[in-house]
Structure formats: structure tokens, C-alpha cells
Amino acid sequence: MGENDKAIISHSENVSEKPRRRGCVGHCVKFWWAYLILLIVVVVVVVPVVLLVAVPKMAQHKLDEAELILDGITVTNTKTGSMTMAINSTIKSDGKVKANIDPFIGDMYLEDLEPHTPFARINFPATTADKLQTVNVTQEIEIADAHALTTFNQWLLANETLRVTVKGKTHVKVSGISKKYSVTFKKTIEMPGLMHLDGTIVNQTTISLENDELGNNFRGQAYIPNRSLVSFELGNVTFHNYLLGAEVGTVFIDNLFVRAGEVNQYLMRATIENGPVLNALGAHPYCDETKGVLPFQIRGKTVVNHGQDLNYFRDALSTYNQTVEIDIGGTLQKSVGITIPCGGLGGGDNHS
Ligand SMILES: *[C@@H]1O[C@H](CO)[C@@H](O)[C@H](O)[C@H]1NC(C)=O
Ligand SMILES: *[C@@H]1O[C@H](CO)[C@@H](O)[C@H](O)[C@H]1NC(C)=O
Ligand SMILES: *[C@@H]1O[C@H](CO)[C@@H](O)[C@H](O)[C@H]1NC(C)=O
Ligand SMILES: *[C@@H]1O[C@H](CO)[C@@H](O)[C@H](O)[C@H]1NC(C)=O
Ligand SMILES: *[C@@H]1O[C@H](CO)[C@@H](O)[C@H](O)[C@H]1NC(C)=O
Ligand SMILES: *[C@@H]1O[C@H](CO)[C@@H](O)[C@H](O)[C@H]1NC(C)=O
Ligand SMILES: *[C@@H]1O[C@H](CO)[C@@H](O)[C@H](O)[C@H]1NC(C)=O
């Protein structure tokens, strides 16, 4: 058969050489079937391969290459079952492909915790594939999974950094092609955490031996650091207060709103048992070495915002004892003129 084919081809070539002047026309007429096959191959195979495989692959690849940068998250209007979340972000790409990306619902979850469980769902707006694009979203979120949200808050509060992934299915329309392609938007961002609010300072303190009208005998200014990019409205927060392993009272901060990038200065008030504090002040090393500076520990007890319990914040704040050193000796001297010497004031306990 191979020989026959060869024979036919050579024969054809010989024939085609005869009416040479007719040029392409004769050639094209004679080989119309070959052109038809080529056309069919292009239409049936190449175009779909480009449109159905290459372009969507390219679109997904371009989307994967783009970078999502978190500029800030602000959580306000916090209620037991909902909150308002505002996210400012920037999407950076090479800007080489003109494309429009449809709006989509993005799940947000902790990248380093399996199984990946969304703690929030965000409606992302339509975007383009411009080089630099701001995407600012403000949205009321129903808390669908309080456990996942609590875990996110725990990591945000505890960790030096944490990785959050935004993932959603959407469609992209590449300029010049009418078809829209399915793509997956998946970006992981690394953000700074609050490291247990390490570095919280309490100063400008006053002590009274009698409780005031709110039942408090201690006041001070708390300076809460702002390492993270997340600002959040907590409301009225109370803390367990421990001294040397024993619970000695309750700390209150009202209308607390921890803001990123701002000095968070708040009035801190507390109701603290006098006895254990005076005992500690009269004992080593507090009566001499630390000069009356006591290592209190605080741990979240309640978070109530306009009457709504925010357990997703409370359960995060209650997982860790944060040490805050307070100059109680100096404050006592300043406020009521008492200095406790080593060994105490004649050993007389002063329980309240
Ligand atoms: C987002 O940007 C707007 C406009 O600059 C600003 O007012 C707002 O505080 C920002 N929000 C966050 C969460 O960074
Ligand atoms: C989005 O937020 C950024 C700050 O993160 C701000 O500079 C920009 O103006 C905001 N854009 C819009 C459209 O609100
Ligand atoms: C973040 O903190 C949580 C809770 O303290 C811890 O279990 C987790 O391993 C930390 N993750 C990372 C990535 O540091
Ligand atoms: C209290 O601490 C803050 C934060 O470190 C500091 O700026 C301020 O000067 C201190 N105030 C006093 C009276 O020491
Ligand atoms: C906090 O400290 C108190 C007193 O030492 C202790 O009873 C409690 O278990 C500690 N809690 C945590 C979460 O470490
Ligand atoms: C908090 O924000 C202020 C104002 O932007 C800044 O000066 C300060 O360094 C920040 N503190 C921390 C601990 O991030
Ligand atoms: C905090 O408590 C005070 C006193 O009970 C109350 O007047 C105020 O509305 C509370 N604030 C919030 C944000 O719940």
C-alpha cells in the first residue's frame, strides 16, 4: 500500500506541473479536501484547545500569580450573632492581560489549621486585572461558625504572625474572548498577630482603701499595643485578676476598641482584695528588689458589647494569663501615704 501511495503522489505531482500557469487555483481546486481538513482541524481542534484549555489555563495562572495584600481589617458593630467586617486590600498583578473578574464569595480560613474551616464569608466585588487595584469591602457578616471564629481570634491574639487564606470560585472574562472561564481565586496572606497583647503598660495608677461608687479601689491608664492590622470593637471587657497564683479581683475596661496603628489608651479600673496585695508588698522580692512593683496576671472573663455577649472574643481572651507589672508600692505611697516594709505592717492582715 505504501508503494501505491507514493506512486499516486508522484503521479499527481507530475500532473500538477503541466498546467503550471493556472498556479494556485488549480492547486487549490485539486487539493480542496486537504484545505478542508486543515480548516476542520483548526476549527474543531486548535480553536477549542486554545479557547477551552490554553486561555483558561493562562487566566488561572495569571490569577494565581497576582498578589493579595491586606491593608487592614476593621470589625465593628459586634454582636453575639453578627458583626460588620471592613477589609481594605490591594491586588497586585503584572497587568499584562486585560480581564474582568466576576464578583464572588470568598471563604476566609486559617491556612495552618486543618481541616480548613471558614470563619467568615466575604462578598468580593468585581475586579479587573489592572496592575494595582484597591479592593475595599464592608459587609455585615452572620456568624455561621462561632467555633471557627473563636479559633481565628485565639490565633490573632496569641501568635506573632498568622496565615489566612481567601478562597472562592469565580469567572474571568479575558478581553476579546466572549466566553467566561471558571477560575479559583485563592490567596494566602500573612498578617501580624497581637502576641497576647505583650507590652501592655498600666501606669498613672491610683488606689483607694475604700471602694468607690462602682465598687472599685484601683484605677490606672492601660496602654494596649497594636501590632496587628485588625481593629476590633470589644465593648465592656472584664478580666480575672491573679496575684501569685491566687485570684484577687476583677479588672474592667469599658468601651474597648483595639485599633491597629493607634495608641490604645484606656481607663482601667479594678476591684482588688487588699489583703493579698498588702501581703505581697511586705514579702521578698516585692518589698525590696522590685520596689513595690507586683506581677499581676489578667485573663479575659466577660466581653459584653451593648448588652450582647461576645463569646468569640471572651473565649479567645480567656485562654491565656497575661502578666502586667504594676507599681502598687509607689501608688499606695502616692495615694494613701503608706509604705509597706519587708515583713509587713506588724503582720496584721487587712482583708477587705
Ligand atoms: C479603609 O480605607 C478607608 C479609606 O481610606 C479608611 O477610612 C478605613 O479606615 C480603612 N479601613 C481599614 C479596615 O483599613
Ligand atoms: C481603600 O482603602 C485604602 C486604605 O487601605 C484607601 O487608601 C483607599 O482610598 C480606599 N479606596 C476606596 C475606594 O475606598
Ligand atoms: C497560633 O496560636 C495557636 C494558639 O496559641 C497555636 O495552637 C498555633 O499553633 C499557632 N500557629 C502558628 C502558625 O503559629
Ligand atoms: C505611661 O505609659 C505610657 C506608655 O508607655 C507613656 O507614654 C506615658 O508617658 C506613661 N505615663 C507616665 C505618667 O508614666
Ligand atoms: C491563670 O493563672 C491562674 C492562677 O495562677 C491559674 O489558676 C489558671 O489556671 C491560669 N490560667 C491559664 C489559662 O493559664
Ligand atoms: C501603635 O501605633 C502607634 C501610632 O501609629 C505607633 O506609634 C506605635 O508604635 C504602635 N505600637 C505598636 C506596639 O505597634
Ligand atoms: C459599658 O458599661 C456601661 C456601664 O454599665 C454602659 O453605660 C455602657 O453602655 C457599656 N458599653 C458598652 C459598649 O456596652
Side-chain angles (χ1 to χ4, degrees):
M1 256 194 103
E3 275 174 23
N4 283 348
D5 281 350
K6 255 187 203 160
I8 290 165
I9 289 166
S10 59
H11 175 71
S12 308
E13 277 168 357
N14 287 342
V15 170
S16 68
E17 265 172 23
K18 274 187 201 164
R20 211 179 169 159
R21 279 177 213 134
R22 280 162 73 195
C24 171
V25 179
H27 173 83
C28 295
V29 168
K30 274 238 150 65
F31 292 100
W32 61 270
W33 51 271
Y35 286 97
L36 184 62
I37 288 171
L38 189 67
L39 187 68
I40 289 170
V41 164
V42 167
V43 170
V44 176
V45 182
V46 178
V47 170
V49 162
V50 169
L51 288 182
L52 294 175
V53 181
V55 174
K57 246 193 163 159
M58 181 272 294
Q60 180 69 61
H61 180 68
K62 284 286 168 196
L63 192 60
D64 289 345
E65 272 189 338
E67 191 187 352
L68 178 68
I69 300 158
L70 178 68
D71 300 314
I73 298 181
T74 302
V75 175
T76 53
N77 200 14
T78 43
K79 297 181 179 156
T80 304
S82 68
M83 57 173 60
T84 302
M85 195 182 265
I87 301 182
N88 287 355
S89 63
T90 309
I91 298 180
K92 241 170 129 177
S93 69
D94 64 10
K96 282 184 186 150
V97 174
K98 287 219 178 315
N100 291 308
I101 301 157
D102 278 357
F104 67 95
I105 297 173
D107 283 340
M108 292 176 77
Y109 56 81
L110 287 169
E111 176 63 25
D112 297 310
L113 185 67
E114 303 273 357
H116 290 154
T117 313
F119 59 84
R121 285 215 151 103
I122 299 288
N123 297 317
F124 279 86
T127 51
T128 63
D130 290 351
K131 259 191 165 172
L132 258 193
Q133 182 160 204
T134 8
V135 181
N136 296 357
V137 191
T138 300
Q139 185 190 321
E140 167 131 357
I141 291 182
E142 295 301 322
I143 295 165
D145 190 332
H147 184 257
L149 181 63
T150 302
T151 305
F152 166 71
N153 288 332
Q154 270 164 353
W155 285 43
L156 178 65
L157 192 66
N159 299 26
E160 185 172 358
T161 60
L162 58 158
R163 297 201 301 156
V164 172
T165 297
V166 179
K167 185 179 173 188
K169 286 201 182 307
T170 183
H171 292 91
V172 64
K173 189 182 167 312
V174 179
S175 178
I177 299 172
S178 61
K179 190 176 161 43
K180 278 189 176 181
Y181 299 107
S182 296
V183 283
T184 301
F185 182 97
K186 181 167 183 267
K187 301 281 159 211
T188 300
I189 41 188
E190 184 162 329
M191 58 165 103
L194 287 161
M195 294 184 80
H196 296 297
L197 301 173
D198 258 356
T200 293
I201 288 171
V202 177
N203 62 19
Q204 294 143 273
T205 46
T206 59
I207 289 173
S208 54
L209 292 179
E210 298 291 313
N211 289 352
D212 65 13
E213 69 282 359
L214 289 173
N216 305 138
N217 55 1
F218 174 90
R219 278 172 185 259
Q221 293 295 323
Y223 294 84
I224 300 163
N226 55 40
R227 286 189 83 249
S228 90
L229 293 169
V230 186
S231 304
F232 44 99
E233 181 183 329
L234 289 155
N236 287 354
V237 183
T238 69
F239 299 87
H240 298 277
N241 190 14
Y242 305 101
L243 180 61
L244 308 179
E247 185 151 10
V248 296
T250 305
V251 168
F252 304 83
I253 299 181
D254 287 344
N255 304 313
L256 179 56
F257 194 141
V258 177
R259 288 178 198 273
E262 280 177 38
V263 175
N264 293 285
Q265 184 188 349
Y266 279 87
L267 170 71
M268 175 188 258
R269 51 194 181 84
T271 306
I272 299 172
E273 289 174 44
N274 290 331
V277 173
L278 295 175
N279 285 344
L281 284 175
H284 299 292
Y286 311 112
C287 65
D288 41 22
E289 275 169 41
T290 79
K291 298 185 169 60
V293 175
L294 298 182
F296 287 97
Q297 290 196 301
I298 64 171
R299 184 170 75 86
K301 188 174 179 180
T302 61
V303 181
V304 182
N305 195 18
H306 300 296
Q308 304 247 332
D309 286 320
L310 307 184
N311 294 346
Y312 48 85
F313 285 143
R314 180 202 64 195
D315 293 344
L317 284 169
S318 67
T319 46
Y320 184 77
N321 286 338
Q322 174 62 47
T323 300
V324 181
E325 310 229 309
I326 304 181
D327 179 10
I328 295 292
T331 307
L332 200 61
Q333 170 60 34
K334 211 171 46 189
S335 300
V336 289
I338 297 173
T339 303
I340 313 285
C342 286
L345 288 172
D349 271 5
N350 189 3
H351 285 286
S352 63

